[in-house]
Amino acid sequence: MKIKKLLFTAVALMSFSAVANAQFYLTGKFGMSNESGETESTTTVGSTTNKTTNDKNPYNNFLIGAEAGYYFNDNMAVGADITYGFSKTKNAGNKDNWTADNMFHFNPYFRYDFVSTDKISFGLKAEVLLGFGKNKNNASDNYKKSEIGFGILPVLNYKFTSNWSAGVGFGNLYYSHYVQKAEKNYNFANNETKNITNTWNLDLTLQSLTFSVVYTF
């Protein structure tokens, strides 16, 4: 009986320790951009120079997202990255004519940290890419879009306090299966209703560099 009690106590203590060491974390992202203005072209024929100025098509882009995760021990975590992006381009000559794209992504992931100290956590994040969206204009819906794939990216966190840390990601190795399917009411060459793009990519450019502020509960 005493042995059973000791075993029960030990299991209870280990369970409490696991819960105590587990950590939830949350971060968000937000971005907006706008492009407009003019383009100027110069043509020279002999001694005559002509300049032509045209308005650029106004372009707006909006992105919002959140990431939530759970460390179930000192080195391993599971979570998901949720992102919604929207972009719209208007015709400079007639702003009632426009084209818009939207895309929603839900990317569950597993993270493993090779280095885990009181201040620094460094590791890899393996994620599944799941996305869907739509392209449309002022006249009709044009395409349905979907994406599935996976990616691996290095991640680094630096802790300022027990609750706040800065997150940095750089580089990405990913595979994407992207499908663009024409809507039934959109006449896309009549004999072609679906475009499929399969992509393997290793991104080591500055565009892959991301920063975030992370709050740990």
Side-chain angles (χ1 to χ4, degrees), residues 105-108 127-131 147-151 174-176:
H105 277 98
F106 174 75
N107 302 336
E127 62 181 1
V128 178
L129 309 176
L130 302 171
E147 183 179 23
I148 185 170
F150 61 87
Y174 67 89
Y175 167 79
S176 172

Side-chain angles (χ1 to χ4, degrees), residues 73-132:
N73 63 32
D74 291 338
N75 298 91
M76 292 182 283
V78 292
D81 185 6
I82 302 172
T83 305
Y84 173 75
F86 175 82
S87 62
K88 187 174 186 178
T89 303
K90 293 183 179 180
N91 186 291
N94 182 359
K95 294 185 178 180
D96 290 332
N97 293 333
W98 51 264
T99 301
D101 280 278
N102 67 72
M103 197 75 179
F104 175 84
H105 277 98
F106 174 75
N107 302 336
Y109 66 80
F110 170 79
R111 172 171 174 164
Y112 181 81
D113 291 333
F114 301 101
V115 177
S116 181
T117 68
D118 292 338
K119 288 292 184 181
I120 294 176
S121 299
F122 172 74
L124 291 176
K125 187 164 72 172
E127 62 181 1
V128 178
L129 309 176
L130 302 171
F132 61 90

Side-chain angles (χ1 to χ4, degrees), residues 2-15:
K2 290 183 179 180
I3 294 176
K4 288 184 179 180
K5 287 184 178 180
L6 288 173
L7 288 174
F8 177 79
T9 303
V11 171
L13 287 173
M14 286 189 293
S15 300

